[in-house]
Amino acid sequence: MPPSLGPREHQELMALLGAWALSACSREESERVDEHLGGCGPCADEALRLRDAATLLEPPGALDLAPELRVAVLDDCFARRPARQPVPPWAAPYDQEAARLDALLRDMAEEEWRTPVALRWFDGDAWHGTPTTVARVIGQLLSLDGLLAAAVGLPEPVNGPTAERAAARLRAPDAGDWPLWREQSRSLVRAAAELGGVAGERTVPREALGDAGRFPGGAGAEVALSDAFLDRAFTCWVHAKDIAHAVEYPYDAPFGAHLRLLVDLTARRLPESIAGRRRAGLATSSARLTSVGAPVRTLHLEVEGAGGGHWYIPVDSPAAGVSAVEAHEVPEGPEGDEAVAHVTLEDEEFCQLAAGRITPEEAAVGMEGDPALIHDVLYAAAALSRP
């Protein structure tokens, strides 16, 4: 006990240490405790022990703003001063997911760039996985986003030195491709703003994107530019979640309206994936031949949550197209078609299944109807995953 304090005052300050550790003291009490800790070793040790214990009681906080808060702030800013070139709604999910991943990477310590990351995907009729690192995941995103960048006419990211890149490499030598990826993602968003238009208005050659099976439509059809941007947003979110899990950071799902666009893209991919598994002899159900314009069998896919809705998936003919209904509307399938099964999943669970991060057996699925078709649709969703 410092000689300047009496036993009673010392006891009073000791009694405040718990509240001080929880940041529950008044300003005056905090100042008294801080002054006391500078001259009392035993109390200083106890205060540090209590502060460490208090951190265990706090739930982990996200590194970035909550997705819905970021959207609200941007909307408010643009309401006061409209953007000269607003980002079209179909590119907004990529804009947000790239920004969120960048915020995660900005807080990365040098050694965390070498943290192992386990990637997992479904191919054929088996699950595969490969170990990699945080730095290599960003390198993969740089490469895959680069295909879209080339498709919209952007040059390859400049590899020359800049002050920002040099500072990033000094801070985290293993970050490698992070500054290039960030520069490329921003260029893609600017390109989308310059192109503008509504979803589906512009297209790019399917072969330019490197993986025909990732997109709705037949092999010869061009890919909607809006779908290509949504695909990049989906992959960006999935890999950001992989990285966050590896370094033990919390990571929220995308903003609800954006998540629904990603769910919708995934649902529209299903008919071609079902057909592909049938062609490969991997399906358990058999297709029913139908004539053009005749009613088709469908699976009613109900996705719950902020990104949810109702989709009717044609299970015999990819060309029939997927019908979508908003979550708050009365779900009615296409007139004349026959809904032979009903599957219910949460929005994030559905996307994690399509990303290959969970198996159909691990997914929490409500199901009713033809079990063989349900099996094939769930595995067709898993087959959408990529390395």
Side-chain angles (χ1 to χ4, degrees):
M1 178 178 66
S4 57
L5 292 181
R8 183 173 180 178
E9 187 176 2
H10 185 256
Q11 285 295 116
E12 288 178 357
L13 291 171
M14 284 183 63
L16 287 173
L17 292 181
W20 175 87
L22 293 170
S23 300
C25 287
S26 68
R27 181 175 179 180
E28 181 182 312
E29 289 171 337
S30 293
E31 289 175 352
R32 289 180 61 203
V33 171
D34 289 340
E35 182 180 357
H36 176 61
L37 296 181
C40 180
C43 283
D45 290 341
E46 177 68 5
L48 287 175
R49 187 184 69 80
L50 290 172
R51 175 61 61 86
D52 289 342
T55 60
L56 299 177
L57 302 176
E58 298 177 4
L63 295 173
D64 191 19
L65 294 175
E68 61 274 11
L69 179 58
R70 183 176 187 273
V71 171
V73 170
L74 289 175
D75 286 347
D76 184 65
C77 291
F78 291 140
R80 296 168 186 268
R81 184 176 180 179
R84 284 178 297 178
Q85 286 186 322
V87 176
W90 47 264
Y94 177 75
D95 181 22
Q96 169 138 322
E97 293 313 307
R100 292 210 298 149
L101 175 54
D102 187 44
L104 171 65
L105 299 174
R106 194 178 294 276
D107 276 12
M108 200 77 69
E110 180 179 338
E111 64 275 7
E112 288 181 310
W113 288 95
R114 298 185 290 273
T115 302
V117 177
L119 299 185
R120 189 184 187 195
W121 69 96
F122 188 77
D123 185 23
D125 214 10
W127 291 93
H128 302 269
T130 185
T132 185
T133 64
V134 171
R136 288 175 182 170
V137 169
I138 300 305
Q140 182 174 347
L141 280 176
L142 175 68
S143 176
L144 293 174
D145 286 2
L147 296 175
L148 178 57
V152 298
L154 294 178
E156 292 186 10
V158 180
N159 210 4
T162 66
E164 186 180 10
R165 261 191 228 109
R169 288 182 183 275
L170 284 174
R171 185 174 67 251
D174 291 305
D177 294 320
W178 170 38
L180 299 178
W181 170 80
R182 181 175 60 229
E183 179 181 324
Q184 181 174 257
S185 66
R186 292 173 178 173
S187 296
L188 277 167
V189 173
R190 286 193 295 268
E194 291 171 2
L195 291 169
V198 298
E201 180 179 349
R202 301 178 185 276
T203 61
V204 291
R206 186 173 293 269
E207 61 273 12
L209 300 175
D211 185 351
R214 290 190 73 85
F215 301 97
E222 291 211 329
V223 174
L225 182 62
S226 52
D227 282 351
F229 267 86
L230 289 175
D231 172 68
R232 300 319 311 142
F234 185 97
T235 304
C236 186
W237 165 45
V238 168
H239 282 324
K241 196 172 179 68
D242 290 337
I243 292 170
H245 178 75
V247 297
E248 298 181 345
Y249 285 166
Y251 208 80
D252 294 329
F255 172 59
H258 295 173
L259 183 54
R260 190 182 192 280
L261 292 175
L262 303 185
V263 170
D264 179 71
L265 174 66
T266 304
R268 289 187 287 112
R269 287 169 162 166
L270 284 174
E272 188 61 39
S273 184
I274 296 168
R277 286 181 58 79
R278 283 208 176 109
R279 289 192 295 268
L282 299 172
T284 58
S285 65
S286 56
R288 178 192 295 175
L289 295 177
T290 58
S291 58
V292 177
V296 299
R297 293 187 302 168
T298 64
L299 176 136
H300 176 193
L301 172 65
E302 180 180 355
V303 180
E304 299 176 333
H310 301 267
W311 286 262
Y312 287 83
I313 314 297
V315 294
D316 296 317
S317 173
V322 174
S323 298
V325 181
E326 294 287 347
H328 62 274
E329 296 178 1
V330 177
E332 294 182 359
E335 186 176 351
D337 288 352
E338 178 189 0
V340 295
H342 184 182
V343 167
T344 305
L345 300 94
E346 290 288 337
D347 46 14
E348 190 170 0
E349 189 102 341
F350 178 55
C351 289
Q352 290 297 301
L353 174 63
R357 298 313 185 257
I358 59 174
T359 69
E361 290 76 20
E362 292 168 337
V365 182
M367 57 186 77
E368 181 181 0
D370 189 326
L373 274 177
I374 292 173
H375 174 276
D376 286 346
V377 170
L378 293 177
Y379 273 84
L384 294 171
S385 60
R386 297 293 185 273

